Amino acid sequence: MGLFRYHRNITTENIAGSEKMGMAGSATSSLAMIACCLHHVSDLLPAVGFVIATSSFLTEYKNTIIIIGLLANVAEAYTL
């Protein structure tokens, strides 16, 4: 847009109607692109929530999980 205005020597006080439409179209397109990017970022939020929930669960029950793992290893050692 800036190169077009420089090329046509249009001042900021004397903007033609078609120039205003071009600027409005550019702003609308930019806003639509940002909205689309935010939409795809929001697609990832459930995955982030799952990771947080899983890590919270593992942190809460880490001692129990370690004991179960140790008992499984002891049981495996005696079955061999």
Side-chain angles (χ1 to χ4, degrees), residues 21-37:
M21 289 297 290
M23 283 190 257
S26 297
T28 304
S29 176
S30 298
L31 182 64
M33 182 184 66
I34 291 170
C36 182
C37 292

Side-chain angles (χ1 to χ4, degrees), residues 1 14 19 26 33 35 48-49 55 60 65-66 79:
M1 186 62 90
N14 188 15
E19 181 90 10
S26 297
M33 182 184 66
V48 172
S55 66
E60 184 72 27
I65 293 169
I66 289 172
T79 59

Side-chain angles (χ1 to χ4, degrees), residues 3-33:
L3 290 174
F4 177 75
R5 288 184 55 185
Y6 177 75
H7 179 69
R8 297 274 312 256
N9 290 329
I10 297 174
T11 62
T12 56
E13 293 86 27
N14 188 15
I15 297 176
S18 61
E19 181 90 10
K20 290 179 185 177
M21 289 297 290
M23 283 190 257
S26 297
T28 304
S29 176
S30 298
L31 182 64
M33 182 184 66

Side-chain angles (χ1 to χ4, degrees), residues 45-59:
L45 290 179
V48 172
F50 176 74
V51 169
I52 291 172
T54 304
S55 66
S56 171
F57 173 80
L58 293 175
T59 302

Side-chain angles (χ1 to χ4, degrees), residues 72-80:
N73 283 330
V74 168
E76 181 183 356
Y78 283 118
T79 59
L80 294 175

